[in-house]
Structure formats: C-alpha cells, structure tokens
Amino acid sequence: MGYKDVYSSWKADPEAFWMEAARAIDWDEAPSKALFDRGNDMYEWFADGRVNTCWNAVDRHVEAGRGGQVAIIHDSPITGTLHKITYAELRNRVARLAGALRAKGIEKGDRVIIYMPMVPEALEAMLACGRLGAIHSVVFGGFAANELAVRIDDAKPKAIIAASCGLEPGRVVHYKPLVDGAIEMARHKPDFCVVFQREQEVARLEEGRDFDWHGFQYGVEPAECVPVEGNHPAYILYTSGTTGAPKGVVRHTGGHLVALNWTMKNIYNVDPGDVFWAASDVGWVVGHSYICYAPLIHGNTTIVFEGKPIGTPDAGTFWRVISDHGVKSFFTAPTAFRAVKREDPKGDFIRKYDLSCLKTVYLAGERADPDTIVWAQDQLKVPVIDHWWQTETGFAIAANPMGVEPLPVKIGSPSVPMPGYDVHILDEGGNPLPPGELGAIAVKLPLPPGTLPTLWNAEDRYRKAYLTTFPGYYETGDAGMIDEDGYLYIMARTDDVINVAGHRLSTGGMEEVLSGHPDVAECAVIGVTDQLKGQMPVGFLCLNAGCASDHSEVVKEVVKMVRDRIGPVAAFKLAVVVDRLPKTRSGKILRATMVKIADGEDYKMPATIDDPAILDEIKTALQTIGYAR
Ligand code: COA
Ligand code: AMP
C-alpha cells in the first residue's frame, strides 16, 4: 500500500485503522472500541482498555527474548563517558526505582516532576512513573527556578526527581539549588525529593525531605507494572502559549502507545532492533516521544546524547555518534544543522566517518530553511525529511512516510498529512481556502490517538486556546497553505509564540517579566529572524516619564531578569529603549510590522496605525542593535 491508500483507508474508517494499529500493543484488557465521543468536542481514545506504558516499552521486550539487546546508549561527549543499558538491565533498574517510589507513597495518579539532564536516569524516572501509573511532568533544565515553581503549583507533585547538576559546555548547571529555590517559591510543597548525585557536583540533601537516588532504592521490593485505563494520563508536558502561564498538555496512555508505535515504522522506517537517535532533550516533546517512548515501545535502541552539535568537541560529533552506534534514522532540529554548517560548510568532518548505516535524516521543531536542507542532502547523501508537529500533537501532523512510501521531497514543505489528521486551511471567518492560498492551519476534530485530549485541570483554557476560533476544528496556531499535490507549507505562527533554536517560547511571557521592572512603563517583545537560531527575542522598553536611570543599565537589568525568571533558554539578550510603541487606534501593538522592519522586509503601512512616524523611530532603535538594515 502506498501513502494514498493508507491515508484513504484511515479516512474511510478511522476507528478500524486505529484498532488495527492497537494490535501492536500488549493490553491487559483490550479496548472495546477506539474512539469515545464525550460530547461537546471532547474525545478520548481506547478509554476502556487497560494497559501499562512501561510494560510495553520495557518488560515485553525482555519477555519476548530481547533482554540482551541494548535499549539505551548514553553517549556524553561532555563527560567523556559511554554507557549501554540492555532491556533486561533497564527492566531491573526501572522496577527497583518504581519500588522505591512506591515505598515512599507514590501511587497511580500521583504527579511526579522530573528535572534532569540528558542521562539515562531521566528516562528511567519517566518509565518508573509509568510503571506505577504515576503521572510525570518533565521540566527542561534550561528553565529558571520560577518556571519550575509555576509547574509545581499547577501539577501539585507528590515528589520531585532531580539530578544534582546538568552540564553545559564550560558551565555546571546547579539543578539542586534551582529545585530548592522553586520549592521555596511554590505554594504547593512536594512530600519528598529524590536526587541523582552526579560526580561532577554532589548536592546538599535536606534531611527528611531529600533522598539519594541509590540509597533510597536499597532493599526495596521491585514494583510490577500497574495496568491503567487507556484514558489515564501518562504525562503532563508544559508548553508556551500566549501568556506567561504555561499550558499543561495532557497525554493519555492508550493512544500514546498506539500512535507512537505506528510512527516508528511508517514515518521513521525502523524495525525493532534498529538504532534510532533523536538529538533533542528529554524536557521537550521530541525527547518524550522520540528519545524515550516511541523507540522503546517499538523495541529499538535509543541514544541519550549529552552534548551539543558543535564544540563538544567539534562539528563532527553528530557524525561520530551516528557512525559509532550504527544509527539508521537520525532526528534533529534545523538550528543544529545550521550550527554545524557554519563551522564545517564543506563537510570535512562528515568525510571522516563511515556513515553507511545512516538511511534517513528527519528535521522538526521549527521551519527548515531550504539552504540547510540542501546542504544536509548534499553532504550526507540521504533523504532529509522535514516534518511538522507540536507538543500538543506528540507526533507528526505532516511528514514524508518513509516506511510506507518515500514521497518526492519538496523543499520548504514538511510533505503531507499523516493518517489521523484532516488538515484544512481556513480564512479568518473559518471558511476553507483553495490550494495555494495562505490561511490558518486547522485540523478537523477529532484529533488522532496520542494527541492532547485536554489541558491539565484547565478544560476551559483548552477550549479557548484550541477549539473556539474554528468550531469543529483544532486550531494549530500555525499559518500556511496546501499546494495542488496536497503538500503543506508552514509559514508562521498566528500567536505570540516564537521559536528560538528549536525551543518554543512565549513573547507574552517575556513581556510579563519586562513589565516587572520598576522603570518600565510599557514594553513589547518580538521574534526577529536569526541566521543560526531561526528567531531571537528583542525587547522594546518605554520607560516611565522622568525616569532618571541610565538606559543601558535598565537594558542590562531586564536581560538579567528574563534569565533569572524564565531561564537561559529564553536567549533574551537584546533590548532597546524607545519613546513609544507603534499601535493601532484601538491600542493593539503592531508587533508583526515591527518584525518586518527588524528583518528589513517590505511592509504595508497598517491602515489603523495611530501615528506612522513611530515606525521610523522603531527602525532607528533597531539599527542601534544591528537590525533593520
Ligand atoms: N540546561 C541549562 N541550560 C541550557 C540547557 C539546558 N538543558 N540548554 C540550553 N541551555 C542554555 C545554554 O547554555 C545557553 O546559555 P548561555 O546564554 O549561558 O550561553 C542558553 O540556554 C541558550 O541556549 P541555546 O539557545 O540552545 O543556544 P546555544 O548557544 O547553547 O546552542 C545550538 C546553539 C544551535 C547549538 C543549540 O541551540 C542546539 O543544539 N539546538 C538544538 C535544539 C534542539 O535540539 N531542540 C529540540 C527541539 S526538536
Ligand atoms: P513545539 O511544541 O515546541 O514542538 O513547537 C511547535 C511549533 O514549532 C509549531 O507549532 C510550529 O510553529 C513549529 N514547527 C515545528 N515543526 C516545524 C516544521 N517542520 N516546520 C515549520 N514549523 C515547525
């Protein structure tokens, strides 16, 4: 069957399609049907089945005689270590960890926050939660204590599992003090913390509250897998929206298992036993789906890579890892390739390694610019596949299904919708637009299994954020078009979300921080185009009348505030002081026009602008920091 047949077979009978895919999962009790329509646009998949994620990701492979296969390779050029864990070892480690968590009172439905760098123990903590039916929420290490505190107050975890430190090139990230600070800031207090002490930094433990990862497992009874309902949340993953309050994307257990398993062969074209590598971070959705869950559920070997595309030690790291471990499918973000290309444009490092194992490269997380794709294709001589998805969906909305049928690559397009997604381009009034016309990208409800059924404890916000603008559809927040051949093109976000080095950030969240500075009367943050990171945030500050502070001091202070409150990952380094902000007559800040000015693009004078002269002032201000040339 080719792509068209597979897609039409899904469209003809979605429930039969997903029930068939569900046969690849071990159920304790098979679901009676696929889709549960809860009314009012709320849907769940496989709700009455009973199943365990950890069993499917670990134990069943051991039972099937694959216990000796390597499940996880930890390759850390930062610490200079390499460590392989077989499926049998993984089962023992996870069962013991789960047993220790259970002994401290963690049960099905309890939340556990995981704050760990790229070490196998991060995956083990996720799987141990799954084993007990506890709901994990992994927080990315590049966020500051305040962001962690916000997530603690929303998820109300019974426990936090953290590492003593993370390692960035040339810098130790002190995780434990961040955890302590976050707990102090948060209103909700977890019962206890478990700390994985790394040899690079041993953290201070608080007597009675904090337990050592190894010590607290001593003498415990290993835990068996606890079957849960198909609609039991497997995890919550917070992502940026329009405001500073992150959205807690919920992932239900049954659909997550079925959909992810389906993607491994059909999209990524790997078979059980093949080595699959997603060079992302466990704190992001790519890390959840394609470092941890999908490869393990499918019986692949996954790589936990603690390093950067460049500088650890050089621009050949990716190729060294692929060659050393026999990676067949490799997944990264375009920004990582841009970094490598900048250091090694001719691909000298690529030719140092035997890459004959590598069959396909996948890119996602941000728009893949044609230069980067062409460079990668020319250098690596394998298909370079752009695919489009979001934290909310958990797997690709559009991709080139390499395991079904490799479709011709159209550079600039993440190819075609995957089964499960009925994608439409709509105008502002919600009317479908013809091929080639730009509009909002929306997906007809219901979304497929594995996508978000709601937001954590925030159904109203879920409806408002995704279901209200276009009744009957899920609003993706992306704008784009579909061509005559059914290929999608993703052009821009329709909201305040920006994408910095593949990291999703909210400009609204940054504005909330800037407004907190005592000298700032009004502010705006926009995402300007950046050659390496795709976008970079730039802040505009209007200071209070009569403010005597030195402008450059205020700029320094707000840069520090964003780093302290949101985290280094915001990469907020540029801000300018202006007298006023361009606005419509109704007071809306003209951010899109400001972005065009910064990027040196032509723009139409907005008809509703209050005072056109302000745009020249914005241009002059941007020129002082090297933009709007
Ligand atoms: N823990 C703590 N800090 C982190 C971090 C983590 N896990 N990840 C990044 N940071 C810090 C960085 O050290 C940097 O701090 P600095 O301001 O002190 O230099 C800051 O956050 C910004 O990081 P980043 O935007 O990633 O830039 P970089 O200069 O460190 O690296 C790239 C640039 C392109 C090499 C890098 O962004 C990269 O590899 N990106 C790939 C992105 C990716 O895989 N995304 C996943 C989505 S698929
Ligand atoms: P995240 O939730 O962090 O995965 O970010 C999702 C957003 O990143 C999407 O809504 C898009 O704006 C952007 N994105 C992800 N993949 C792509 C892609 N292949 N092409 C263009 N934009 C993408």
Side-chain angles (χ1 to χ4, degrees), residues 15 36 51 88 106 108 127 149 163 167 180 203 214 263 268 315 383 399 459 538 562 579:
E15 295 210 46
F36 290 71
V51 68
I106 299 293
K108 179 185 166 199
L127 293 163
L167 302 165
D180 292 340
H214 293 291
T263 62
Y268 300 103
E459 189 181 312
V538 170
V562 175
D579 287 339

Side-chain angles (χ1 to χ4, degrees), residues 140-142 168 171 279-280 286 309 335 501-503 533 563 568-569 573:
F140 177 63
E168 283 291 289
R171 174 163 73 93
S280 178
V286 176
T335 190
H503 309 314
K533 298 194 179 191
R563 193 176 172 96
V569 68
K573 304 216 159 126

Side-chain angles (χ1 to χ4, degrees), residues 117 140-143 166 168-169 171 173 175 279-281 284 286 307-310 318 331-333 335-336 339 364-365 500-503 532-533 563 567-571 573:
F140 177 63
F143 283 124
E168 283 291 289
R171 174 163 73 93
V173 185
Y175 275 55
S280 178
D281 188 287
W284 305 117
V286 176
K308 299 273 174 180
I310 52 171
F318 277 175
F331 181 163
T332 189
T335 190
V500 181
H503 309 314
L532 177 65
K533 298 194 179 191
R563 193 176 172 96
V569 68
K573 304 216 159 126

Side-chain angles (χ1 to χ4, degrees), residues 105-144:
I106 299 293
E107 293 174 2
K108 179 185 166 199
D110 289 338
R111 273 82 59 210
V112 175
I113 280 190
I114 299 173
Y115 190 56
M116 298 183 93
M118 288 297 286
V119 290
E121 286 77 5
L123 276 62
E124 290 168 10
M126 294 161 81
L127 293 163
C129 290
R131 200 169 184 86
L132 299 174
I135 304 165
H136 66 65
S137 187
V138 181
V139 179
F140 177 63
F143 283 124

Side-chain angles (χ1 to χ4, degrees), residues 171-350:
R171 174 163 73 93
V172 172
V173 185
H174 312 287
Y175 275 55
K176 184 56 175 33
L178 287 168
V179 172
D180 292 340
I183 294 176
E184 205 171 303
M185 269 180 233
R187 284 185 307 280
H188 172 85
K189 308 290 175 197
D191 290 357
F192 68 98
C193 300
V194 179
V195 180
F196 174 65
Q197 300 277 22
R198 302 191 72 185
E199 61 184 62
Q200 290 76 16
E201 179 167 276
V202 174
R204 191 188 63 81
L205 302 187
E206 194 179 301
E207 185 74 34
R209 187 196 73 185
D210 300 341
F211 298 93
D212 170 71
W213 172 279
H214 293 291
F216 105 124
Q217 295 186 39
Y218 182 75
V220 298
E221 184 75 17
E224 291 310 312
C225 297
V226 177
V228 300
E229 300 74 24
N231 62 354
H232 181 71
Y235 69 77
I236 307 164
L237 178 58
Y238 288 90
T239 192
S240 303
T242 20
T243 66
K247 301 192 273 200
V249 167
V250 173
R251 195 84 62 213
H252 281 176
T253 305
H256 182 231
L257 286 164
V258 172
L260 288 188
N261 186 66
W262 182 89
T263 62
M264 288 307 282
K265 178 65 193 170
N266 292 288
I267 299 181
Y268 300 103
N269 200 17
V270 285
D271 294 305
D274 287 339
V275 182
F276 178 89
W277 178 24
S280 178
D281 188 287
V282 281
W284 305 117
V285 69
V286 176
H288 280 62
S289 293
Y290 292 107
I291 294 173
C292 183
Y293 289 114
L296 295 178
I297 294 164
H298 195 246
N300 292 100
T301 297
T302 186
I303 297 182
V304 174
F305 170 71
E306 188 178 30
K308 299 273 174 180
I310 52 171
T312 59
D314 54 39
T317 309
F318 277 175
W319 325 127
R320 197 267 304 156
V321 172
I322 290 169
S323 170
D324 278 0
H325 307 307
V327 173
K328 187 172 174 198
S329 288
F330 173 51
F331 181 163
T332 189
T335 190
F337 272 5
R338 287 196 295 272
V340 173
K341 177 176 153 220
R342 182 184 276 194
E343 295 225 337
D344 184 23
K346 297 209 186 85
D348 293 336
F349 277 111
I350 296 175

